[in-house]
Amino acid sequence: MSKSEYVIVGSNVAAVGAIDGIRKHDKKSSILTISFESLGSYSKAMLAEYIEGANAQWLEFRGKDYFKKMGVDCLFGRKVTGLDSDKSILTTDNGEEISYKKLLLGVGGVPFKPVIKGAEGKELVFTFTDLLDAEKIREALPRFNSAVVIGAGFTGTEIAYTLNKLNKKVTVVELGDRVLVKALDPRSSEIAQSLMHGEGIEFYLNDTVEEISGNKEITGVSLKSGKVIPCQAVITAIGVIPNGELIKNTPVKFDRGLDVDDYMCTNVPNVYGAGDVVKALDITDGLKRSLPLWPLAFQQGLVAGKNMAGGRYPYAGGLPINSLKFLKVPILSAGITTPPDASYEVIYVSDPKGTFYRSLVLKEGRLKGFVTIGEIDGAGVLTGLIRNKIDISGIKTKLLNKKKVGLMQMPREWRNRIFTRRDETDYHD
Ligand SMILES: Cc1cc2nc3c(=O)[nH]c(=O)nc-3n(C[C@H](O)[C@H](O)[C@H](O)COP(=O)(O)OP(=O)(O)OC[C@H]3O[C@@H](n4cnc5c(N)ncnc54)[C@H](O)[C@@H]3O)c2cc1C
């Protein structure tokens, strides 16, 4: 049996954060990462570019040289299949046993796969969550001219846009009544949908795919509404859920996400979690939930790593920020964009040409979230106002009407607070 002081399952961004965190306190002890993928840490935000033809190595944000430089041993292409948290032992898919003193689960999320009649046995049914999925889609490109994407969230709209750009006929089917429901408010959803429709993408909202027809090759899909859409490929992009596979049959608590405390530790003292697999603190409402975003996974990993190595750093919480970079008009949102109840105030401005839109969501005078379309330069100031819980009652309309929100327009006292506040994670998104 091999041994390592620290074992990290996963080698993506949560793992990198943890390695940075561990090495801040412990320069020498052994660290081992295990990942079933072939790359070091890579950007999933760039998977679309990979499908368009980019080199896989180009996606790496921390390549294998980083792991070497940090004195980390790596097992790539290896899956962890068992965890005995009482004995602190992991088992891999080739039967190897590895013991650890501290374990980080940075195993990310898995795609939610709906059960659809006829999906079984069809070759061109895909998910879009990792490089392996992107490789399959890229390889299959010459085999289809039309595709149905199920789900109009971030990954669904991104893959739809990419395939459309590659001259495929794309139809998006969404169960909800609008696109990008988690990130945008109803008005900005409409703008985003109309921008995508303008590029040639068709949408069916309030509907769902009930059946995929054809034999081995897909001929089309049937929707709940009765509509039949001819197509040759189907991509399900309904969302990513925390990956609880490894902790099944262990005492590690998991309820729609790994339960971690403020120090990113699970209920089992030497087992930590970070990234898409955990439920983490959302600073906009103080609740813990799955926040599957790259910078937050890094921050959580960093905090977990420092604590694994003997530090005592609480996770300050994260602000969910979403940026739709593939559209011709930039769209960025943060925090709460659609208020859950009437205690919030929403103000917005929309220029008649549809090239600029901004909405602000406030509670008791403080900014809780925003959407900005067409002009995203001031977004850093807006996120600073959210993080610092600054009362914006006196300047809220200024924040709306100025296309460029500059720090210099803020009162000096606020500027100082935004500039001087630092949290314990050494990282700012
Ligand atoms: C298409 C797409 C686009 C995205 N775009 C953005 C964006 O623009 N901005 C943004 O902030 N976020 C974006 N995200 C989300 C972001 O990529 C994730 O939040 C981030 O990758 C989470 O990092 P992680 O390390 O927690 O998990 P992951 O990146 O999912 O990595 C999980 C790791 O665990 C390993 N693993 C899992 N199970 C096992 C096992 N049993 N054995 C061995 N290894 C295992 C995997 O090999 C992998 O190394 C996007 C995601 C997708 C899918």
Side-chain angles (χ1 to χ4, degrees):
M1 183 186 319
S2 58
K3 287 184 183 166
S4 195
E5 181 79 16
Y6 305 98
V7 175
I8 299 173
V9 188
S11 66
N12 211 355
V13 60
V16 165
I19 293 167
D20 283 3
I22 292 169
R23 285 294 182 238
K24 277 184 197 285
H25 290 268
D26 182 347
K27 305 273 182 234
K28 291 221 171 78
S29 299
S30 53
I31 306 179
L32 172 72
T33 63
I34 312 168
S35 164
F36 64 70
E37 296 193 72
S38 57
L39 290 183
S41 177
Y42 68 94
S43 167
K44 293 188 174 178
M46 285 159 73
L47 286 175
E49 277 143 90
Y50 174 78
I51 292 174
E52 286 175 45
N55 187 309
Q57 261 67 36
W58 194 62
L59 310 190
E60 279 187 316
F61 117 101
R62 293 281 188 272
K64 290 180 181 164
D65 52 335
Y66 158 83
F67 292 84
K68 200 171 164 198
K69 194 184 90 195
M70 299 300 276
V72 175
D73 295 317
C74 302
L75 290 176
F76 287 109
R78 186 98 291 145
K79 188 161 183 176
V80 177
T81 48
L83 164 62
D84 183 336
S85 61
D86 294 332
K87 294 187 181 148
S88 299
I89 292 174
L90 294 169
T91 313
T92 62
D93 52 0
N94 63 345
E96 191 186 347
E97 289 193 332
I98 300 163
S99 81
Y100 59 83
K101 286 227 176 99
K102 299 275 170 70
L103 173 69
L104 178 90
L105 297 171
V107 290
V110 284
F112 178 74
K113 286 188 199 163
V115 180
I116 302 172
K117 196 173 160 198
E120 202 69 20
K122 305 273 191 306
E123 284 176 6
L124 302 189
V125 176
F126 306 101
T127 49
F128 178 51
T129 308
D130 59 20
L131 184 61
L132 293 167
D133 291 336
E135 277 167 2
K136 286 184 200 153
I137 297 173
R138 178 161 137 171
E139 264 173 44
L141 286 175
R143 296 177 57 196
F144 68 92
N145 295 315
S146 55
V148 163
V149 174
I150 308 175
F154 256 89
T155 52
T157 50
E158 185 157 16
I159 189 66
Y161 198 85
T162 305
L163 294 177
N164 182 62
K165 211 166 142 190
L166 293 168
N167 298 319
K168 312 292 178 195
K169 165 126 195 59
V170 182
T171 308
V172 178
V173 180
E174 163 62 46
L175 189 60
D177 61 356
R178 60 191 180 90
V179 307
L180 294 157
V181 72
K182 282 194 186 150
L184 302 181
D185 60 26
R187 281 174 294 269
S188 49
S189 278
E190 216 172 284
I191 297 172
Q193 185 183 334
S194 120
L195 285 168
M196 288 186 273
H197 184 67
E199 301 276 338
I201 302 171
E202 294 295 331
F203 288 88
Y204 287 89
L205 303 178
N206 299 306
D207 215 338
T208 187
V209 172
E210 283 202 326
E211 185 170 356
I212 302 176
S213 40
N215 294 318
K216 213 163 145 195
E217 290 182 357
I218 296 171
T219 52
V221 298
S222 310
L223 306 190
K224 193 171 178 207
S225 60
K227 172 92 190 157
V228 173
I229 305 169
C231 69
Q232 296 161 315
V234 173
I235 292 106
T236 59
I238 293 179
V240 169
I241 48 174
N243 178 0
E245 203 184 316
L246 248 191
I247 50 84
K248 272 183 202 155
N249 309 318
T250 74
V252 180
K253 279 192 188 154
F254 185 95
D255 173 21
R256 284 178 286 176
L258 205 56
D259 278 317
V260 286
D261 64 16
D262 292 350
Y263 303 91
M264 305 310 296
C265 190
T266 66
N267 59 309
V268 175
N270 58 345
V271 179
Y272 292 71
D276 286 7
V277 68
V278 303
K279 284 181 295 188
L281 182 69
D282 181 336
I283 60 161
T284 46
D285 58 8
L287 298 176
K288 281 190 174 178
R289 59 167 65 92
S290 163
L291 298 170
L293 288 164
W294 175 272
L296 305 189
F298 180 89
Q299 287 175 335
Q300 293 156 15
L302 189 65
V303 171
K306 286 178 173 183
N307 292 327
M308 288 165 79
R312 195 73 183 147
Y313 298 90
Y315 177 55
L319 173 63
I321 300 176
N322 292 293
S323 137
L324 229 70
K325 54 207 173 305
F326 51 86
L327 289 173
K328 284 184 180 143
V329 180
I331 300 183
L332 195 138
S333 73
I336 298 168
T337 54
T338 308
D341 58 58
S343 66
Y344 291 80
E345 177 191 1
V346 181
I347 54 171
Y348 70 94
V349 63
S350 177
D351 88 14
K353 287 184 236 141
T355 51
F356 175 67
Y357 171 83
R358 180 170 294 153
S359 64
L360 305 178
V361 176
L362 293 86
K363 186 163 183 158
E364 288 155 10
R366 288 166 218 274
L367 191 60
K368 291 289 176 185
F370 66 88
V371 179
T372 184
I373 301 184
E375 175 58 68
I376 60 171
D377 280 356
V381 172
L382 295 174
T383 56
L385 294 170
I386 299 176
R387 282 182 214 286
N388 288 283
K389 301 185 172 66
I390 285 168
D391 188 339
I392 61 161
S393 322
I395 56 150
K396 58 187 182 190
T397 43
K398 198 167 172 186
L399 293 175
L400 263 190
N401 290 327
K402 285 269 176 195
K403 282 195 174 185
K404 283 195 200 290
V405 182
L407 253 192
M408 298 321 282
Q409 292 148 342
M410 305 291 139
R412 180 184 292 273
E413 177 215 343
W414 297 359
R415 274 186 265 156
N416 289 345
R417 273 174 66 189
I418 290 175
F419 276 134
T420 53
R421 201 181 117 125
R422 290 283 176 271
D423 64 32
E424 294 296 339
T425 59
D426 301 345
Y427 184 87
H428 295 268
D429 46 20

